[in-house]
Amino acid sequence: QKEVEQNSGPLSVPEGAIASLNCTYSDRGSQSFFWYRQYSGKSPELIMFIYSNGDKEDGRFTAQLNKASQYVSLLIRDSQPSDSATYLCAVKEDMIYNQGGKLIFGQGTELSVKP
Amino acid sequence: KAGVTQTPRYLIKTRGQQVTLSCSPISGHRSVSWYQQTPGQGLQFLFEYFSETQRNKGNFPGRFSGRQFSNSRSEMNVSTLELGDSALYLCASSLPGAKETQYFGPGTRLLVL
């Protein structure tokens, strides 16, 4: 059973701090990794995707991937109360010829940014 | 460009009934995936359609089925509803290709009484 693990939280950080969200995955063949943000009562919204080892930055968000350790993380710099949401880590299941869009999701980490 | 749309947004059914949910992907997206989200199980993959063919399937009973039309719009059907089918049903679309980043619609919230 391929799994994606996240700390459920809640993770509480003060406004302006760095929030660090972590995710591990079991399928060593996985090639594509995604972070989604989900506000309460809403659908998941794509924040970042990363395919290569190392860091990928987009504004206040940085995704980090370490395939050897099977570890993905998301850093949110200068956290704002509007960042308070559940963050979902998703890993695309390794398919033959990399076809198909099956994503395996972690349970999500609830982030609370306090003013 | 318009996002993924899903109809209806909310639905109340009783046990034993069947339900059909609809999803229109982002223009140009040919792959449509369906997910079920519940508080206990999280987000779970139901199935994926590409070019009117089911390309991948999750571990759900045969009561859950779907189809895709030539315009890439997709429907999913749940027959003989059970209380445990109460969930948020999400549709996601993506462009074909190795990366296939998925974009979610607003979801259909189904309550089975």
Side-chain angles (χ1 to χ4, degrees):
Chain A
Q1 180 77 6
K2 296 169 184 174
E3 295 181 340
V4 176
E5 300 284 343
Q6 293 181 257
N7 291 328
S8 60
L11 173 65
S12 184
V13 301
E15 183 175 356
I18 296 175
S20 178
L21 305 162
N22 305 314
C23 171
T24 58
Y25 59 95
S26 64
D27 184 2
R28 187 168 288 278
S30 297
Q31 299 292 322
S32 307
F33 308 87
F34 307 85
W35 283 99
Y36 288 86
R37 176 175 63 196
Q38 188 173 26
Y39 292 112
S40 180
K42 302 294 186 182
S43 64
E45 171 193 10
L46 181 69
I47 298 176
M48 296 277 291
F49 56 85
I50 186 167
Y51 310 126
S52 304
N53 275 328
D55 294 0
K56 178 182 178 182
E57 188 175 315
D58 184 1
R60 296 187 296 113
F61 299 96
T62 299
Q64 299 175 316
L65 174 60
N66 183 326
K67 290 184 180 179
S69 300
Q70 295 174 239
Y71 177 90
V72 193
S73 66
L74 179 70
L75 299 178
I76 306 175
R77 289 181 300 281
D78 188 23
S79 294
Q80 300 296 309
S82 59
D83 294 326
S84 298
T86 296
Y87 288 80
L88 297 161
C89 173
V91 176
K92 184 182 167 189
E93 187 178 70
D94 185 33
M95 313 293 287
I96 296 173
Y97 304 117
N98 213 24
Q99 293 182 47
K102 179 179 179 179
L103 294 179
I104 302 171
F105 283 85
Q107 286 292 95
T109 298
E110 183 183 347
L111 173 66
S112 177
V113 181
K114 304 295 186 184
Chain B
K1 188 182 277 190
V4 179
T5 59
Q6 292 186 246
T7 57
R9 294 292 309 279
Y10 303 93
L11 210 47
I12 300 176
K13 292 286 187 179
T14 57
R15 278 182 301 173
Q17 288 187 308
Q18 75 165 15
V19 66
T20 298
L21 312 180
S22 181
C23 170
S24 292
I26 293 170
S27 178
H29 287 195
R30 293 165 55 197
S31 172
V32 173
S33 298
W34 289 89
Y35 295 84
Q36 181 197 66
Q37 187 174 33
T38 59
Q41 299 298 317
L43 260 162
Q44 293 187 294
F45 174 80
L46 281 156
F47 30 65
E48 182 212 5
Y49 286 87
F50 176 74
S51 292
E52 301 178 62
T53 301
Q54 187 180 88
R55 186 161 63 171
N56 292 295
K57 189 177 188 304
N59 297 321
F60 278 81
R63 299 187 296 109
F64 293 81
S65 63
R67 59 177 175 169
Q68 187 180 34
F69 303 95
S70 58
N71 62 357
S72 296
R73 189 177 70 86
S74 177
E75 288 181 347
M76 70 162 282
N77 183 275
V78 188
S79 63
T80 320
L81 284 166
E82 301 177 358
L83 296 179
D85 296 333
S86 295
L88 179 65
Y89 289 89
L90 292 158
C91 162
S93 75
S94 61
L95 286 166
K99 305 306 183 186
E100 300 198 31
T101 302
Q102 296 187 17
Y103 299 89
F104 283 88
T108 294
R109 191 165 294 280
L110 172 65
L111 177 61
V112 182
L113 302 175

